[in-house]
PDB file of all heavy atoms in Angstrom:
ATOM      1  N   GLU N   1      13.076  22.088  14.659  1.00 94.00           N
ATOM      2  CA  GLU N   1      13.884  21.141  13.887  1.00 94.00           C
ATOM      3  C   GLU N   1      13.279  19.741  13.951  1.00 94.00           C
ATOM      4  O   GLU N   1      13.194  19.028  12.946  1.00 94.00           O
ATOM      5  CB  GLU N   1      15.312  21.110  14.433  1.00 94.00           C
ATOM      6  CG  GLU N   1      16.063  22.427  14.290  1.00 94.00           C
ATOM      7  CD  GLU N   1      17.441  22.370  14.918  1.00 94.00           C
ATOM      8  OE1 GLU N   1      17.787  21.315  15.504  1.00 94.00           O
ATOM      9  OE2 GLU N   1      18.172  23.371  14.828  1.00 94.00           O
ATOM     10  N   GLY N   2      12.842  19.363  15.156  1.00 95.00           N
ATOM     11  CA  GLY N   2      12.301  18.021  15.343  1.00 95.00           C
ATOM     12  C   GLY N   2      11.060  17.761  14.523  1.00 95.00           C
ATOM     13  O   GLY N   2      10.786  16.611  14.144  1.00 95.00           O
ATOM     14  N   ARG N   3      10.299  18.819  14.236  1.00 97.00           N
ATOM     15  CA  ARG N   3       9.086  18.625  13.435  1.00 97.00           C
ATOM     16  C   ARG N   3       9.417  18.190  12.013  1.00 97.00           C
ATOM     17  O   ARG N   3       8.644  17.457  11.385  1.00 97.00           O
ATOM     18  CB  ARG N   3       8.257  19.904  13.446  1.00 97.00           C
ATOM     19  CG  ARG N   3       7.532  20.085  14.757  1.00 97.00           C
ATOM     20  CD  ARG N   3       6.904  21.438  14.927  1.00 97.00           C
ATOM     21  NE  ARG N   3       6.340  21.532  16.273  1.00 97.00           N
ATOM     22  CZ  ARG N   3       6.393  22.600  17.050  1.00 97.00           C
ATOM     23  NH1 ARG N   3       6.988  23.703  16.609  1.00 97.00           N
ATOM     24  NH2 ARG N   3       5.873  22.596  18.256  1.00 97.00           N
ATOM     25  N   ILE N   4      10.537  18.642  11.499  1.00 98.00           N
ATOM     26  CA  ILE N   4      10.953  18.184  10.176  1.00 98.00           C
ATOM     27  C   ILE N   4      11.284  16.698  10.232  1.00 98.00           C
ATOM     28  O   ILE N   4      10.911  15.920   9.343  1.00 98.00           O
ATOM     29  CB  ILE N   4      12.164  18.994   9.670  1.00 98.00           C
ATOM     30  CG1 ILE N   4      11.856  20.492   9.667  1.00 98.00           C
ATOM     31  CG2 ILE N   4      12.559  18.527   8.271  1.00 98.00           C
ATOM     32  CD1 ILE N   4      13.050  21.359   9.297  1.00 98.00           C
ATOM     33  N   ALA N   5      11.963  16.298  11.293  1.00 98.00           N
ATOM     34  CA  ALA N   5      12.326  14.895  11.451  1.00 98.00           C
ATOM     35  C   ALA N   5      11.092  14.019  11.625  1.00 98.00           C
ATOM     36  O   ALA N   5      11.002  12.921  11.046  1.00 98.00           O
ATOM     37  CB  ALA N   5      13.268  14.733  12.647  1.00 98.00           C
ATOM     38  N   ILE N   6      10.118  14.476  12.409  1.00 98.00           N
ATOM     39  CA  ILE N   6       8.887  13.706  12.585  1.00 98.00           C
ATOM     40  C   ILE N   6       8.122  13.632  11.268  1.00 98.00           C
ATOM     41  O   ILE N   6       7.510  12.607  10.940  1.00 98.00           O
ATOM     42  CB  ILE N   6       8.008  14.330  13.683  1.00 98.00           C
ATOM     43  CG1 ILE N   6       8.662  14.133  15.053  1.00 98.00           C
ATOM     44  CG2 ILE N   6       6.608  13.715  13.673  1.00 98.00           C
ATOM     45  CD1 ILE N   6       8.747  12.687  15.495  1.00 98.00           C
ATOM     46  N   ALA N   7       8.155  14.706  10.479  1.00 98.00           N
ATOM     47  CA  ALA N   7       7.519  14.673   9.162  1.00 98.00           C
ATOM     48  C   ALA N   7       8.157  13.600   8.286  1.00 98.00           C
ATOM     49  O   ALA N   7       7.467  12.855   7.582  1.00 98.00           O
ATOM     50  CB  ALA N   7       7.614  16.041   8.489  1.00 98.00           C
ATOM     51  N   ALA N   8       9.481  13.517   8.327  1.00 98.00           N
ATOM     52  CA  ALA N   8      10.170  12.491   7.546  1.00 98.00           C
ATOM     53  C   ALA N   8       9.770  11.095   8.001  1.00 98.00           C
ATOM     54  O   ALA N   8       9.552  10.192   7.186  1.00 98.00           O
ATOM     55  CB  ALA N   8      11.684  12.684   7.667  1.00 98.00           C
ATOM     56  N   LEU N   9       9.673  10.919   9.319  1.00 98.00           N
ATOM     57  CA  LEU N   9       9.253   9.627   9.862  1.00 98.00           C
ATOM     58  C   LEU N   9       7.831   9.295   9.391  1.00 98.00           C
ATOM     59  O   LEU N   9       7.543   8.161   8.989  1.00 98.00           O
ATOM     60  CB  LEU N   9       9.330   9.687  11.386  1.00 98.00           C
ATOM     61  CG  LEU N   9       9.170   8.399  12.187  1.00 98.00           C
ATOM     62  CD1 LEU N   9       9.815   8.554  13.569  1.00 98.00           C
ATOM     63  CD2 LEU N   9       7.714   7.994  12.357  1.00 98.00           C
ATOM     64  N   ALA N  10       6.956  10.297   9.428  1.00 98.00           N
ATOM     65  CA  ALA N  10       5.574  10.082   8.994  1.00 98.00           C
ATOM     66  C   ALA N  10       5.507   9.715   7.521  1.00 98.00           C
ATOM     67  O   ALA N  10       4.707   8.865   7.109  1.00 98.00           O
ATOM     68  CB  ALA N  10       4.740  11.331   9.270  1.00 98.00           C
ATOM     69  N   VAL N  11       6.339  10.350   6.705  1.00 98.00           N
ATOM     70  CA  VAL N  11       6.392  10.011   5.284  1.00 98.00           C
ATOM     71  C   VAL N  11       6.839   8.561   5.105  1.00 98.00           C
ATOM     72  O   VAL N  11       6.312   7.824   4.260  1.00 98.00           O
ATOM     73  CB  VAL N  11       7.332  10.966   4.524  1.00 98.00           C
ATOM     74  CG1 VAL N  11       7.600  10.457   3.108  1.00 98.00           C
ATOM     75  CG2 VAL N  11       6.736  12.365   4.472  1.00 98.00           C
ATOM     76  N   GLY N  12       7.810   8.155   5.916  1.00 98.00           N
ATOM     77  CA  GLY N  12       8.255   6.772   5.837  1.00 98.00           C
ATOM     78  C   GLY N  12       7.131   5.790   6.127  1.00 98.00           C
ATOM     79  O   GLY N  12       6.956   4.790   5.417  1.00 98.00           O
ATOM     80  N   LEU N  13       6.359   6.063   7.180  1.00 98.00           N
ATOM     81  CA  LEU N  13       5.227   5.192   7.496  1.00 98.00           C
ATOM     82  C   LEU N  13       4.219   5.182   6.351  1.00 98.00           C
ATOM     83  O   LEU N  13       3.724   4.120   5.952  1.00 98.00           O
ATOM     84  CB  LEU N  13       4.571   5.650   8.798  1.00 98.00           C
ATOM     85  CG  LEU N  13       3.479   4.743   9.372  1.00 98.00           C
ATOM     86  CD1 LEU N  13       3.405   4.886  10.894  1.00 98.00           C
ATOM     87  CD2 LEU N  13       2.106   5.022   8.766  1.00 98.00           C
ATOM     88  N   ALA N  14       3.932   6.370   5.813  1.00 98.00           N
ATOM     89  CA  ALA N  14       2.978   6.472   4.708  1.00 98.00           C
ATOM     90  C   ALA N  14       3.462   5.689   3.494  1.00 98.00           C
ATOM     91  O   ALA N  14       2.674   5.009   2.810  1.00 98.00           O
ATOM     92  CB  ALA N  14       2.751   7.942   4.345  1.00 98.00           C
ATOM     93  N   GLN N  15       4.769   5.779   3.203  1.00 98.00           N
ATOM     94  CA  GLN N  15       5.310   5.049   2.064  1.00 98.00           C
ATOM     95  C   GLN N  15       5.339   3.554   2.334  1.00 98.00           C
ATOM     96  O   GLN N  15       5.122   2.740   1.418  1.00 98.00           O
ATOM     97  CB  GLN N  15       6.714   5.550   1.740  1.00 98.00           C
ATOM     98  CG  GLN N  15       7.245   5.076   0.390  1.00 98.00           C
ATOM     99  CD  GLN N  15       6.448   5.662  -0.762  1.00 98.00           C
ATOM    100  OE1 GLN N  15       6.327   6.880  -0.885  1.00 98.00           O
ATOM    101  NE2 GLN N  15       5.903   4.808  -1.611  1.00 98.00           N
ATOM    102  N   GLY N  16       5.583   3.181   3.578  1.00 98.00           N
ATOM    103  CA  GLY N  16       5.533   1.767   3.941  1.00 98.00           C
ATOM    104  C   GLY N  16       4.153   1.181   3.718  1.00 98.00           C
ATOM    105  O   GLY N  16       4.015   0.016   3.319  1.00 98.00           O
ATOM    106  N   CYS N  17       3.125   1.990   3.952  1.00 98.00           N
ATOM    107  CA  CYS N  17       1.757   1.543   3.688  1.00 98.00           C
ATOM    108  C   CYS N  17       1.538   1.289   2.198  1.00 98.00           C
ATOM    109  O   CYS N  17       0.849   0.340   1.807  1.00 98.00           O
ATOM    110  CB  CYS N  17       0.765   2.585   4.195  1.00 98.00           C
ATOM    111  SG  CYS N  17       0.663   2.702   6.001  1.00 98.00           S
ATOM    112  N   VAL N  18       2.140   2.139   1.365  1.00 98.00           N
ATOM    113  CA  VAL N  18       2.073   1.924  -0.086  1.00 98.00           C
ATOM    114  C   VAL N  18       2.792   0.633  -0.455  1.00 98.00           C
ATOM    115  O   VAL N  18       2.274  -0.194  -1.227  1.00 98.00           O
ATOM    116  CB  VAL N  18       2.685   3.121  -0.846  1.00 98.00           C
ATOM    117  CG1 VAL N  18       2.695   2.842  -2.356  1.00 98.00           C
ATOM    118  CG2 VAL N  18       1.925   4.403  -0.553  1.00 98.00           C
ATOM    119  N   ASP N  19       3.998   0.445   0.099  1.00 98.00           N
ATOM    120  CA  ASP N  19       4.790  -0.753  -0.199  1.00 98.00           C
ATOM    121  C   ASP N  19       4.002  -2.025   0.106  1.00 98.00           C
ATOM    122  O   ASP N  19       3.918  -2.940  -0.730  1.00 98.00           O
ATOM    123  CB  ASP N  19       6.079  -0.758   0.630  1.00 98.00           C
ATOM    124  CG  ASP N  19       7.008   0.402   0.308  1.00 98.00           C
ATOM    125  OD1 ASP N  19       6.866   0.998  -0.774  1.00 98.00           O
ATOM    126  OD2 ASP N  19       7.871   0.712   1.159  1.00 98.00           O
ATOM    127  N   GLU N  20       3.446  -2.078   1.317  1.00 98.00           N
ATOM    128  CA  GLU N  20       2.743  -3.287   1.742  1.00 98.00           C
ATOM    129  C   GLU N  20       1.447  -3.491   0.955  1.00 98.00           C
ATOM    130  O   GLU N  20       1.069  -4.625   0.641  1.00 98.00           O
ATOM    131  CB  GLU N  20       2.444  -3.220   3.237  1.00 98.00           C
ATOM    132  CG  GLU N  20       3.679  -3.272   4.127  1.00 98.00           C
ATOM    133  CD  GLU N  20       4.469  -4.555   3.957  1.00 98.00           C
ATOM    134  OE1 GLU N  20       3.840  -5.621   3.762  1.00 98.00           O
ATOM    135  OE2 GLU N  20       5.713  -4.499   4.021  1.00 98.00           O
ATOM    136  N   SER N  21       0.779  -2.399   0.622  1.00 98.00           N
ATOM    137  CA  SER N  21      -0.469  -2.507  -0.134  1.00 98.00           C
ATOM    138  C   SER N  21      -0.216  -2.986  -1.555  1.00 98.00           C
ATOM    139  O   SER N  21      -0.988  -3.787  -2.106  1.00 98.00           O
ATOM    140  CB  SER N  21      -1.200  -1.167  -0.149  1.00 98.00           C
ATOM    141  OG  SER N  21      -1.590  -0.793   1.166  1.00 98.00           O
ATOM    142  N   LEU N  22       0.846  -2.493  -2.176  1.00 98.00           N
ATOM    143  CA  LEU N  22       1.210  -2.959  -3.512  1.00 98.00           C
ATOM    144  C   LEU N  22       1.492  -4.454  -3.516  1.00 98.00           C
ATOM    145  O   LEU N  22       1.020  -5.203  -4.375  1.00 98.00           O
ATOM    146  CB  LEU N  22       2.444  -2.194  -4.006  1.00 98.00           C
ATOM    147  CG  LEU N  22       2.216  -0.843  -4.662  1.00 98.00           C
ATOM    148  CD1 LEU N  22       3.549  -0.148  -4.889  1.00 98.00           C
ATOM    149  CD2 LEU N  22       1.472  -1.001  -5.982  1.00 98.00           C
ATOM    150  N   LYS N  23       2.283  -4.873  -2.532  1.00 98.00           N
ATOM    151  CA  LYS N  23       2.636  -6.284  -2.435  1.00 98.00           C
ATOM    152  C   LYS N  23       1.397  -7.148  -2.256  1.00 98.00           C
ATOM    153  O   LYS N  23       1.216  -8.164  -2.944  1.00 98.00           O
ATOM    154  CB  LYS N  23       3.602  -6.483  -1.262  1.00 98.00           C
ATOM    155  CG  LYS N  23       4.010  -7.918  -1.007  1.00 98.00           C
ATOM    156  CD  LYS N  23       4.932  -7.993   0.216  1.00 98.00           C
ATOM    157  CE  LYS N  23       5.280  -9.437   0.549  1.00 98.00           C
ATOM    158  NZ  LYS N  23       6.116  -9.525   1.777  1.00 98.00           N
ATOM    159  N   TYR N  24       0.526  -6.735  -1.360  1.00 98.00           N
ATOM    160  CA  TYR N  24      -0.672  -7.515  -1.066  1.00 98.00           C
ATOM    161  C   TYR N  24      -1.631  -7.525  -2.256  1.00 98.00           C
ATOM    162  O   TYR N  24      -2.236  -8.558  -2.577  1.00 98.00           O
ATOM    163  CB  TYR N  24      -1.363  -6.939   0.174  1.00 98.00           C
ATOM    164  CG  TYR N  24      -2.520  -7.774   0.675  1.00 98.00           C
ATOM    165  CD1 TYR N  24      -2.293  -8.930   1.422  1.00 98.00           C
ATOM    166  CD2 TYR N  24      -3.830  -7.398   0.404  1.00 98.00           C
ATOM    167  CE1 TYR N  24      -3.350  -9.693   1.885  1.00 98.00           C
ATOM    168  CE2 TYR N  24      -4.900  -8.169   0.862  1.00 98.00           C
ATOM    169  CZ  TYR N  24      -4.654  -9.312   1.593  1.00 98.00           C
ATOM    170  OH  TYR N  24      -5.702 -10.068   2.045  1.00 98.00           O
ATOM    171  N   ALA N  25      -1.761  -6.372  -2.922  1.00 98.00           N
ATOM    172  CA  ALA N  25      -2.699  -6.266  -4.043  1.00 98.00           C
ATOM    173  C   ALA N  25      -2.292  -7.162  -5.216  1.00 98.00           C
ATOM    174  O   ALA N  25      -3.147  -7.589  -6.008  1.00 98.00           O
ATOM    175  CB  ALA N  25      -2.805  -4.819  -4.507  1.00 98.00           C
ATOM    176  N   LYS N  26      -1.021  -7.440  -5.342  1.00 97.00           N
ATOM    177  CA  LYS N  26      -0.558  -8.317  -6.421  1.00 97.00           C
ATOM    178  C   LYS N  26      -0.704  -9.791  -6.072  1.00 97.00           C
ATOM    179  O   LYS N  26      -0.770 -10.641  -6.963  1.00 97.00           O
ATOM    180  CB  LYS N  26       0.907  -8.008  -6.730  1.00 97.00           C
ATOM    181  CG  LYS N  26       1.127  -6.635  -7.344  1.00 97.00           C
ATOM    182  CD  LYS N  26       2.613  -6.341  -7.531  1.00 97.00           C
ATOM    183  CE  LYS N  26       2.825  -4.957  -8.132  1.00 97.00           C
ATOM    184  NZ  LYS N  26       4.272  -4.626  -8.292  1.00 97.00           N
ATOM    185  N   GLU N  27      -0.734 -10.095  -4.755  1.00 96.00           N
ATOM    186  CA  GLU N  27      -0.784 -11.488  -4.313  1.00 96.00           C
ATOM    187  C   GLU N  27      -2.199 -11.968  -3.999  1.00 96.00           C
ATOM    188  O   GLU N  27      -2.539 -13.121  -4.267  1.00 96.00           O
ATOM    189  CB  GLU N  27       0.092 -11.675  -3.068  1.00 96.00           C
ATOM    190  CG  GLU N  27       1.573 -11.404  -3.298  1.00 96.00           C
ATOM    191  CD  GLU N  27       2.377 -11.451  -2.008  1.00 96.00           C
ATOM    192  OE1 GLU N  27       1.749 -11.498  -0.916  1.00 96.00           O
ATOM    193  OE2 GLU N  27       3.612 -11.434  -2.080  1.00 96.00           O
ATOM    194  N   ARG N  28      -3.007 -11.097  -3.446  1.00 96.00           N
ATOM    195  CA  ARG N  28      -4.339 -11.500  -2.967  1.00 96.00           C
ATOM    196  C   ARG N  28      -5.299 -11.674  -4.141  1.00 96.00           C
ATOM    197  O   ARG N  28      -5.461 -10.781  -4.971  1.00 96.00           O
ATOM    198  CB  ARG N  28      -4.881 -10.429  -2.012  1.00 96.00           C
ATOM    199  CG  ARG N  28      -6.280 -10.721  -1.475  1.00 96.00           C
ATOM    200  CD  ARG N  28      -6.223 -11.841  -0.437  1.00 96.00           C
ATOM    201  NE  ARG N  28      -7.442 -11.861   0.373  1.00 96.00           N
ATOM    202  CZ  ARG N  28      -8.522 -12.588   0.118  1.00 96.00           C
ATOM    203  NH1 ARG N  28      -8.556 -13.368  -0.960  1.00 96.00           N
ATOM    204  NH2 ARG N  28      -9.555 -12.548   0.927  1.00 96.00           N
ATOM    205  N   GLN N  29      -5.928 -12.818  -4.189  1.00 94.00           N
ATOM    206  CA  GLN N  29      -6.885 -13.124  -5.242  1.00 94.00           C
ATOM    207  C   GLN N  29      -8.319 -12.922  -4.742  1.00 94.00           C
ATOM    208  O   GLN N  29      -8.650 -13.292  -3.611  1.00 94.00           O
ATOM    209  CB  GLN N  29      -6.719 -14.569  -5.705  1.00 94.00           C
ATOM    210  CG  GLN N  29      -5.366 -14.882  -6.322  1.00 94.00           C
ATOM    211  CD  GLN N  29      -5.289 -14.495  -7.778  1.00 94.00           C
ATOM    212  OE1 GLN N  29      -6.295 -14.527  -8.501  1.00 94.00           O
ATOM    213  NE2 GLN N  29      -4.103 -14.152  -8.245  1.00 94.00           N
ATOM    214  N   ALA N  30      -9.157 -12.344  -5.589  1.00 94.00           N
ATOM    215  CA  ALA N  30     -10.583 -12.214  -5.280  1.00 94.00           C
ATOM    216  C   ALA N  30     -11.366 -12.261  -6.584  1.00 94.00           C
ATOM    217  O   ALA N  30     -11.008 -11.580  -7.555  1.00 94.00           O
ATOM    218  CB  ALA N  30     -10.873 -10.913  -4.542  1.00 94.00           C
ATOM    219  N   PHE N  31     -12.362 -13.080  -6.634  1.00 94.00           N
ATOM    220  CA  PHE N  31     -13.183 -13.236  -7.836  1.00 94.00           C
ATOM    221  C   PHE N  31     -12.343 -13.622  -9.050  1.00 94.00           C
ATOM    222  O   PHE N  31     -12.562 -13.154 -10.159  1.00 94.00           O
ATOM    223  CB  PHE N  31     -13.978 -11.962  -8.128  1.00 94.00           C
ATOM    224  CG  PHE N  31     -14.831 -11.522  -6.971  1.00 94.00           C
ATOM    225  CD1 PHE N  31     -14.439 -10.455  -6.177  1.00 94.00           C
ATOM    226  CD2 PHE N  31     -16.005 -12.205  -6.666  1.00 94.00           C
ATOM    227  CE1 PHE N  31     -15.216 -10.056  -5.099  1.00 94.00           C
ATOM    228  CE2 PHE N  31     -16.793 -11.813  -5.577  1.00 94.00           C
ATOM    229  CZ  PHE N  31     -16.395 -10.738  -4.786  1.00 94.00           C
ATOM    230  N   GLY N  32     -11.316 -14.444  -8.784  1.00 95.00           N
ATOM    231  CA  GLY N  32     -10.553 -15.036  -9.870  1.00 95.00           C
ATOM    232  C   GLY N  32      -9.357 -14.245 -10.359  1.00 95.00           C
ATOM    233  O   GLY N  32      -8.699 -14.676 -11.311  1.00 95.00           O
ATOM    234  N   ARG N  33      -9.053 -13.132  -9.762  1.00 97.00           N
ATOM    235  CA  ARG N  33      -7.861 -12.377 -10.187  1.00 97.00           C
ATOM    236  C   ARG N  33      -7.331 -11.535  -9.032  1.00 97.00           C
ATOM    237  O   ARG N  33      -8.030 -11.319  -8.039  1.00 97.00           O
ATOM    238  CB  ARG N  33      -8.179 -11.504 -11.385  1.00 97.00           C
ATOM    239  CG  ARG N  33      -9.387 -10.601 -11.240  1.00 97.00           C
ATOM    240  CD  ARG N  33      -9.616  -9.801 -12.508  1.00 97.00           C
ATOM    241  NE  ARG N  33     -10.834  -8.988 -12.438  1.00 97.00           N
ATOM    242  CZ  ARG N  33     -11.016  -7.893 -13.138  1.00 97.00           C
ATOM    243  NH1 ARG N  33     -10.061  -7.471 -13.962  1.00 97.00           N
ATOM    244  NH2 ARG N  33     -12.141  -7.212 -13.041  1.00 97.00           N
ATOM    245  N   PRO N  34      -6.063 -11.041  -9.149  1.00 97.00           N
ATOM    246  CA  PRO N  34      -5.480 -10.236  -8.079  1.00 97.00           C
ATOM    247  C   PRO N  34      -6.328  -8.995  -7.819  1.00 97.00           C
ATOM    248  O   PRO N  34      -6.830  -8.371  -8.760  1.00 97.00           O
ATOM    249  CB  PRO N  34      -4.099  -9.863  -8.626  1.00 97.00           C
ATOM    250  CG  PRO N  34      -3.791 -10.912  -9.637  1.00 97.00           C
ATOM    251  CD  PRO N  34      -5.113 -11.275 -10.256  1.00 97.00           C
ATOM    252  N   ILE N  35      -6.448  -8.608  -6.550  1.00 97.00           N
ATOM    253  CA  ILE N  35      -7.285  -7.448  -6.245  1.00 97.00           C
ATOM    254  C   ILE N  35      -6.694  -6.164  -6.818  1.00 97.00           C
ATOM    255  O   ILE N  35      -7.407  -5.170  -6.996  1.00 97.00           O
ATOM    256  CB  ILE N  35      -7.515  -7.301  -4.725  1.00 97.00           C
ATOM    257  CG1 ILE N  35      -6.190  -7.046  -3.991  1.00 97.00           C
ATOM    258  CG2 ILE N  35      -8.240  -8.524  -4.167  1.00 97.00           C
ATOM    259  CD1 ILE N  35      -6.381  -6.708  -2.513  1.00 97.00           C
ATOM    260  N   GLY N  36      -5.405  -6.169  -7.124  1.00 97.00           N
ATOM    261  CA  GLY N  36      -4.787  -5.004  -7.746  1.00 97.00           C
ATOM    262  C   GLY N  36      -5.282  -4.744  -9.156  1.00 97.00           C
ATOM    263  O   GLY N  36      -5.020  -3.673  -9.716  1.00 97.00           O
ATOM    264  N   ASN N  37      -5.990  -5.696  -9.740  1.00 97.00           N
ATOM    265  CA  ASN N  37      -6.569  -5.508 -11.074  1.00 97.00           C
ATOM    266  C   ASN N  37      -7.850  -4.686 -11.032  1.00 97.00           C
ATOM    267  O   ASN N  37      -8.346  -4.250 -12.079  1.00 97.00           O
ATOM    268  CB  ASN N  37      -6.884  -6.867 -11.720  1.00 97.00           C
ATOM    269  CG  ASN N  37      -5.630  -7.584 -12.188  1.00 97.00           C
ATOM    270  OD1 ASN N  37      -4.517  -7.108 -11.972  1.00 97.00           O
ATOM    271  ND2 ASN N  37      -5.799  -8.745 -12.810  1.00 97.00           N
ATOM    272  N   TYR N  38      -8.389  -4.494  -9.832  1.00 97.00           N
ATOM    273  CA  TYR N  38      -9.650  -3.770  -9.698  1.00 97.00           C
ATOM    274  C   TYR N  38      -9.384  -2.281  -9.464  1.00 97.00           C
ATOM    275  O   TYR N  38      -8.521  -1.887  -8.676  1.00 97.00           O
ATOM    276  CB  TYR N  38     -10.477  -4.334  -8.543  1.00 97.00           C
ATOM    277  CG  TYR N  38     -10.895  -5.765  -8.769  1.00 97.00           C
ATOM    278  CD1 TYR N  38     -10.227  -6.809  -8.135  1.00 97.00           C
ATOM    279  CD2 TYR N  38     -11.940  -6.077  -9.627  1.00 97.00           C
ATOM    280  CE1 TYR N  38     -10.594  -8.122  -8.342  1.00 97.00           C
ATOM    281  CE2 TYR N  38     -12.325  -7.397  -9.849  1.00 97.00           C
ATOM    282  CZ  TYR N  38     -11.642  -8.410  -9.203  1.00 97.00           C
ATOM    283  OH  TYR N  38     -12.008  -9.725  -9.427  1.00 97.00           O
ATOM    284  N   GLN N  39     -10.165  -1.470 -10.172  1.00 97.00           N
ATOM    285  CA  GLN N  39      -9.935  -0.027 -10.133  1.00 97.00           C
ATOM    286  C   GLN N  39     -10.113   0.550  -8.732  1.00 97.00           C
ATOM    287  O   GLN N  39      -9.409   1.504  -8.358  1.00 97.00           O
ATOM    288  CB  GLN N  39     -10.884   0.675 -11.111  1.00 97.00           C
ATOM    289  CG  GLN N  39     -10.503   2.114 -11.402  1.00 97.00           C
ATOM    290  CD  GLN N  39     -11.397   2.737 -12.467  1.00 97.00           C
ATOM    291  OE1 GLN N  39     -12.564   3.018 -12.211  1.00 97.00           O
ATOM    292  NE2 GLN N  39     -10.842   2.934 -13.656  1.00 97.00           N
ATOM    293  N   ALA N  40     -10.982  -0.005  -7.939  1.00 97.00           N
ATOM    294  CA  ALA N  40     -11.192   0.498  -6.573  1.00 97.00           C
ATOM    295  C   ALA N  40      -9.896   0.429  -5.768  1.00 97.00           C
ATOM    296  O   ALA N  40      -9.551   1.371  -5.044  1.00 97.00           O
ATOM    297  CB  ALA N  40     -12.292  -0.304  -5.882  1.00 97.00           C
ATOM    298  N   ILE N  41      -9.172  -0.679  -5.916  1.00 98.00           N
ATOM    299  CA  ILE N  41      -7.902  -0.839  -5.199  1.00 98.00           C
ATOM    300  C   ILE N  41      -6.817   0.018  -5.840  1.00 98.00           C
ATOM    301  O   ILE N  41      -6.000   0.652  -5.156  1.00 98.00           O
ATOM    302  CB  ILE N  41      -7.477  -2.320  -5.179  1.00 98.00           C
ATOM    303  CG1 ILE N  41      -8.546  -3.166  -4.488  1.00 98.00           C
ATOM    304  CG2 ILE N  41      -6.124  -2.481  -4.490  1.00 98.00           C
ATOM    305  CD1 ILE N  41      -8.790  -2.804  -3.040  1.00 98.00           C
TER     306      ILE N  41
END
């Protein structure tokens, strides 16, 4: 049972990484525009 709960926790961390990366990619500027405009990001 606990493995399901740990999986949920891991998903939360993974989604938190998406949340923070989205926020940063829209704010951080590089070469004159947000880094989220670049396909690599």
Side-chain angles (χ1 to χ4, degrees):
E1 296 177 358
R3 284 169 185 140
I4 304 175
I6 290 294
L9 190 157
V11 169
L13 188 152
Q15 193 66 57
C17 290
V18 176
D19 297 340
E20 293 299 323
S21 296
L22 276 171
K23 178 182 176 183
Y24 187 78
K26 293 176 181 178
E27 297 174 350
R28 179 73 163 93
Q29 297 277 329
F31 304 104
R33 52 181 176 155
I35 63 172
N37 286 4
Y38 296 102
Q39 194 175 72
I41 300 298

